[in-house]
Amino acid sequence: MNNNGFQHGNAAGMRIHVLPTKAFKTFAISLYAGVPLAEETVTSTALVPFVLRRGTASYPETTQFRERLEELYGAGFGFDVYKRGDHQIVQFRMDTINDSFVQSKESLLGESFAFLGEVLTRPALENGIFRSSYVATERETVRKKLESIVNDKIRYAAERCIEEMCKNEPYRLHPLGQRADLDALTPEKLYQSYNSWLDGAILDLYVVGDTTPEEVEKLVKRHFGRNTSETKDYTSRFSPVTVTEVRTVEEKLDVSQGKLNMGLRTSITYKDDSYATALMYNGILGGYPHSKLFVNVREKESLAYYASSRYDGHKGIGTIQSGIEVQNYGKAVDIITKQLEEMKAGRISDLELSQTKAMIRNLLSEIQDSAFEMISFDFNRQLSGKDRSTQELMDQVEGTGAEDVKAAADTFRLDTIYFLTGQKEE
């Protein structure tokens, strides 16, 4: 039992996390499957869930698959593919109404498990491999998603900055994979990849709702039919990268507006006791509309169409995104760098501290209102090996002063400046 209310156990080679509660009218079910990010497997792993959602052994046609969800009183089913640190995570979600609210002959939680277990372990096959029509269609789905990043220059610049900064690390890879690798993924190859992905993945299954860990473990054994009892764990291999010099990368494309992105590295990650100070650092620097980047770069100097920062606590990376007129490049770099120096010098007002705390407090208190947010907060704990409740994090944020933020600022080092500029010479 941990202080967020989740009870933890194991069954069928999965880690099980159950939060028994009557607070919600539905069961929230989330299954995370994580593997290390790797060039050889990133694209096939990304494509697998797209094919799995097309049909299962009992509901091979996509229409039957969707009708089955309707029969479960309109249960919701979806998935995501993303990266956390150097891992690629596939997350399946189901949202099912609690039996006590409907006249149902069968246990809806049990039926949902039967459905999810089949999605994961018994996909629709032809001749012992994935259906070729499903693979062909879903390859195009993934291709379009990857192409849409190139067309969205804000996202493109953010991705390219990370690629350049982490060019020798798995983190450079996009969680949806690489377009060049899609065509080689035949139904046969993809089916092989799926099997090795399923064997190798670290599996975490979450349930929030009116149930018990005992009931969930029974359902997992019955419906996930994995004959393994060995559970795997995320071994945190984080080693901070030392920045020796700032690299500048310029790329020319047909854009009317320049995109200036910067990548920073820090030694503070989610599992550190000083994680709250890094959250505060990011919030004051560029996380919110009252932040230094927004006020100074965008409002006071009118240099940027947008200017903000993000912090990835699983990787120890901070990023700055801004959109500027191409000719203002030098000026924008100067003024953004100046904000970084202000942070390092500890020039942080009481107002900046209190507004940032209020923003983080709101985000943390909203977690309690959503079963899936509670799940995702606890999953950070599984990834990092750090047990910290939302309340503890809130208390740490509340207790953070300007000196603490200054100490965090000292760990953030500018690593890469990436500038996406227009092709036309002015």
Side-chain angles (χ1 to χ4, degrees), residues 2-6 8 15 17 19 28 30 32 82 84 91 93 204 206 208 234 270-272 275-276 279 313-314 360-397:
N2 82 335
N3 44 15
N4 274 341
F6 280 95
H8 307 282
R15 296 188 291 183
H17 318 279
L19 177 58
S30 210
Y32 294 92
Y82 46 83
R84 286 288 179 274
Q91 177 193 9
R93 289 182 312 276
D204 285 278
Y206 279 87
V208 173
Y234 290 93
Y270 190 86
K271 67 173 192 296
D272 286 291
Y275 172 67
L279 278 187
H314 290 293
I360 295 175
R361 195 184 315 127
N362 287 347
L363 284 172
L364 287 173
S365 56
E366 279 168 13
I367 289 175
Q368 304 309 317
D369 305 333
S370 154
F372 284 108
E373 289 293 332
M374 288 160 90
I375 287 172
S376 129
F377 187 88
D378 192 82
F379 182 58
N380 282 337
R381 185 178 96 88
Q382 307 305 326
L383 275 171
S384 63
K386 174 72 175 174
D387 192 356
R388 181 197 289 118
S389 69
T390 45
Q391 187 57 53
E392 282 171 294
L393 185 52
M394 218 181 279
D395 294 344
Q396 288 166 355
V397 166

Side-chain angles (χ1 to χ4, degrees), residues 264-276:
L264 303 108
R265 293 190 186 264
T266 171
S267 54
I268 303 174
T269 59
Y270 190 86
K271 67 173 192 296
D272 286 291
D273 292 333
S274 49
Y275 172 67

Side-chain angles (χ1 to χ4, degrees), residues 36-293:
L37 271 168
E39 186 132 22
E40 310 74 58
T41 55
V42 66
T43 312
S44 58
T45 298
L47 181 54
V48 161
F50 286 90
V51 173
L52 296 183
R53 65 144 182 208
R54 292 300 303 272
T56 68
S58 311
Y59 313 102
E61 300 302 328
T62 306
T63 46
Q64 297 171 320
F65 185 88
R66 295 197 178 130
E67 279 161 9
R68 180 58 187 146
L69 288 167
E70 280 308 309
E71 286 165 13
L72 297 174
Y73 295 88
F77 171 81
F79 70 91
D80 269 318
V81 186
Y82 46 83
K83 63 181 171 190
R84 286 288 179 274
D86 289 333
H87 280 89
Q88 183 182 18
I89 314 269
V90 177
Q91 177 193 9
F92 295 96
R93 289 182 312 276
M94 278 193 81
D95 201 2
T96 311
I97 197 157
N98 182 339
D99 308 18
S100 53
F101 293 97
V102 288
Q103 299 297 306
S104 170
K105 289 189 296 292
E106 62 250 312
S107 146
L108 289 177
L109 184 63
E111 294 296 316
S112 300
F113 266 85
F115 184 82
L116 188 59
E118 191 166 312
V119 169
L120 190 71
T121 62
R122 294 178 57 222
L125 303 178
E126 61 185 11
N127 309 324
I129 55 174
F130 282 135
R131 281 193 169 191
S132 53
S133 60
Y134 289 171
V135 173
T137 321
E138 298 307 322
R139 269 200 314 244
E140 287 317 299
T141 308
V142 174
R143 193 190 314 275
K144 286 200 180 87
K145 282 182 183 291
L146 287 167
E147 276 164 6
S148 73
I149 297 169
V150 182
N151 299 331
D152 174 349
K153 294 301 182 268
I154 294 179
R155 276 177 72 199
Y156 175 77
E159 292 295 336
R160 288 285 299 118
C161 182
I162 291 291
E163 268 177 28
E164 289 294 340
M165 176 169 162
C166 303
K167 56 158 58 132
N168 302 319
E169 300 161 69
Y171 193 75
R172 73 183 183 282
L173 297 165
H174 190 280
L176 283 179
Q178 314 184 74
R179 279 183 296 173
D181 297 345
L182 282 167
D183 287 336
L185 292 172
T186 59
E188 192 171 15
K189 278 228 177 83
L190 189 64
Y191 187 61
Q192 285 170 349
S193 303
Y194 151 77
N195 280 310
S196 51
W197 167 74
L198 197 54
D199 285 343
I202 304 164
L203 298 172
D204 285 278
L205 181 82
Y206 279 87
V207 183
V208 173
D210 191 5
T211 180
T212 62
E214 296 70 36
E215 183 185 14
V216 170
E217 282 178 27
K218 261 198 227 104
L219 290 171
V220 166
K221 286 179 184 145
R222 184 179 319 150
H223 296 297
F224 283 85
R226 290 159 52 81
N227 50 11
T228 169
S229 56
E230 177 217 3
T231 51
K232 302 185 187 69
D233 199 338
Y234 290 93
T235 45
S236 187
R237 294 186 307 273
F238 177 76
S239 44
V241 176
T242 319
V243 181
T244 44
E245 56 172 348
V246 179
R247 285 181 59 240
T248 302
V249 177
E250 187 177 289
E251 186 173 349
K252 285 187 162 63
L253 281 180
D254 191 10
V255 290
S256 49
Q257 182 197 55
K259 306 281 179 269
L260 171 59
N261 287 52
M262 297 187 183
L264 303 108
R265 293 190 186 264
T266 171
S267 54
I268 303 174
T269 59
Y270 190 86
K271 67 173 192 296
D272 286 291
D273 292 333
S274 49
Y275 172 67
T277 65
L279 278 187
M280 285 291 291
Y281 169 86
N282 178 60
I284 293 168
L285 175 65
Y288 304 107
H290 66 263
S291 307
K292 286 187 187 295
L293 289 173

Side-chain angles (χ1 to χ4, degrees), residues 23 59 97 340 403 417 425:
Y59 313 102
I97 197 157
L340 295 173
E403 280 303 307
I417 298 174
E425 288 303 316

Side-chain angles (χ1 to χ4, degrees), residues 302-408:
S302 302
L303 268 179
Y305 300 97
Y306 61 90
S308 66
S309 69
R310 290 199 190 102
Y311 165 58
D312 178 342
H314 290 293
K315 181 64 181 163
I317 277 181
T319 50
I320 293 170
Q321 306 64 239
S322 69
I324 59 171
E325 291 297 333
V326 169
Q327 65 272 21
N328 289 338
Y329 169 78
K331 224 182 197 174
V333 170
D334 287 347
I335 194 158
I336 292 174
T337 313
K338 183 167 183 264
Q339 306 318 307
L340 295 173
E341 282 158 9
E342 293 280 294
M343 298 290 293
K344 279 193 164 64
R347 282 196 276 277
I348 293 156
S349 71
D350 290 346
L351 186 62
E352 285 173 320
L353 280 170
S354 63
Q355 285 180 316
T356 303
K357 286 176 184 180
M359 288 298 212
I360 295 175
R361 195 184 315 127
N362 287 347
L363 284 172
L364 287 173
S365 56
E366 279 168 13
I367 289 175
Q368 304 309 317
D369 305 333
S370 154
F372 284 108
E373 289 293 332
M374 288 160 90
I375 287 172
S376 129
F377 187 88
D378 192 82
F379 182 58
N380 282 337
R381 185 178 96 88
Q382 307 305 326
L383 275 171
S384 63
K386 174 72 175 174
D387 192 356
R388 181 197 289 118
S389 69
T390 45
Q391 187 57 53
E392 282 171 294
L393 185 52
M394 218 181 279
D395 294 344
Q396 288 166 355
V397 166
E398 291 297 342
T400 302
E403 280 303 307
D404 304 308
V405 180
K406 179 180 187 292

